[in-house]
Amino acid sequence: MLTTQHPIHERLPIGLLLAMNSGFVDAYTFQYHESRFASLQTGNLIQAGFNLAHGRFGASMIFIWPILFFTIGAACNTILKKQWPEGRLSLQQHSILLEFIGITAIVAMHQYLSSTFFIAFLSFFLAIQLDSFPKLQGLPFTSVMSTGNLRSVGTNITNFFYTGDKQFLSNTFHFLWLVLAFLFGAFISGLLAQALGTYALFGASLIVLIVFGLLFKK
């Protein structure tokens, strides 16, 4: 159940928008950058290992760069949290503002970036998003992928049937909404791409900007 006991950055509308943003970005890179993803680093690890096994070192680097940038993004956000004191903006607002500026700049300069570094920079900023918003309603969740959230749907609905505890049922719907938000983000990305082409990624900037504004509502 949605309550005010949780900080604003852990509430459901924020989580839904973040999941929607990740689905939007990954659908975009899948369409315009050789079926690759910016947030799903497990796939990049598999591709890198597969290409290394076949001696294709150049091809493996296409997937290693996003992995490195994702790791660096999480590290940089940790530094931001430790070194940048909260003032008028919260730590989450600092991070989401940085993501907004980064995605907007990447779209504006996309003609000057190789496909590999375009995705790598997006991976950097999605890592910042993931690290800044680790919980929903006090529960661990992931905003840049759906595998863990799907697991949580299964475990919570099963626990509800075993115990009858309605909190598990509430948790089930929270995680189900997150999965659907990710799917909806991919859907919207595909629609906008038909109208705006490669500039459709500005839609992700808009989603992140909305999150930034909602974080002011205490």
Side-chain angles (χ1 to χ4, degrees):
M1 181 172 64
L2 184 63
T3 67
T4 57
Q5 70 184 26
H6 300 287
I8 183 65
H9 61 270
E10 290 187 14
R11 297 184 193 172
L12 186 60
I14 300 296
L16 293 177
L17 285 168
L18 293 173
M20 179 180 171
N21 177 58
S22 299
F24 191 108
V25 171
D26 272 341
Y28 177 92
T29 58
F30 182 86
Q31 179 170 356
Y32 288 109
H33 295 277
E34 303 172 352
S35 302
R36 288 181 284 168
F37 300 104
S39 67
L40 303 177
Q41 301 309 315
T42 301
N44 288 332
L45 284 166
I46 293 170
Q47 291 275 25
F50 182 82
N51 280 286
L52 285 171
H54 288 79
R56 297 192 288 262
F57 301 105
S60 68
M61 290 305 299
I62 293 175
F63 302 98
I64 291 175
W65 280 115
I67 296 169
L68 291 175
F69 272 66
F70 193 90
T71 305
I72 294 170
C76 287
N77 196 56
T78 301
I79 294 172
L80 176 65
K81 289 188 291 186
K82 292 183 178 298
Q83 299 297 326
W84 200 315
E86 290 196 50
R88 298 182 64 181
L89 298 181
S90 67
L91 293 173
Q92 286 74 27
Q93 285 171 317
H94 282 136
S95 298
I96 210 70
L97 181 60
L98 180 60
E99 183 179 0
F100 166 74
I101 294 171
I103 293 178
T104 303
I106 290 169
V107 182
M109 299 187 298
H110 76 278
Q111 294 178 327
Y112 307 101
L113 294 172
S114 69
S115 181
T116 296
F117 281 98
F118 184 93
I119 294 176
F121 284 125
L122 285 175
S123 296
F124 176 90
F125 292 110
L126 286 172
I128 288 176
Q129 174 182 307
L130 176 64
D131 187 61
S132 299
F133 299 88
K135 291 185 178 181
L136 177 79
Q137 302 288 91
L139 299 171
F141 92 113
T142 56
S143 65
V144 300
M145 61 195 77
S146 291
T147 304
N149 296 330
L150 284 168
R151 179 196 63 81
S152 295
V153 170
T155 56
N156 278 282
I157 192 63
T158 304
N159 281 323
F160 168 69
F161 284 123
Y162 268 101
T163 67
D165 187 341
K166 292 185 178 180
Q167 184 60 55
F168 287 121
L169 183 61
S170 178
N171 294 344
T172 298
F173 283 111
H174 286 162
F175 287 109
L176 181 60
W177 278 116
L178 287 170
V179 173
L180 293 176
F182 194 96
L183 175 65
F184 184 68
F187 173 76
I188 294 298
S189 180
L191 288 182
L192 278 183
Q194 297 178 33
L196 302 177
T198 55
Y199 289 98
L201 194 57
F202 277 125
S205 296
L206 178 60
I207 295 171
V208 173
L209 186 61
I210 293 172
V211 173
F212 179 73
L214 289 176
L215 288 171
F216 281 99
K217 296 183 178 181
K218 301 297 184 182

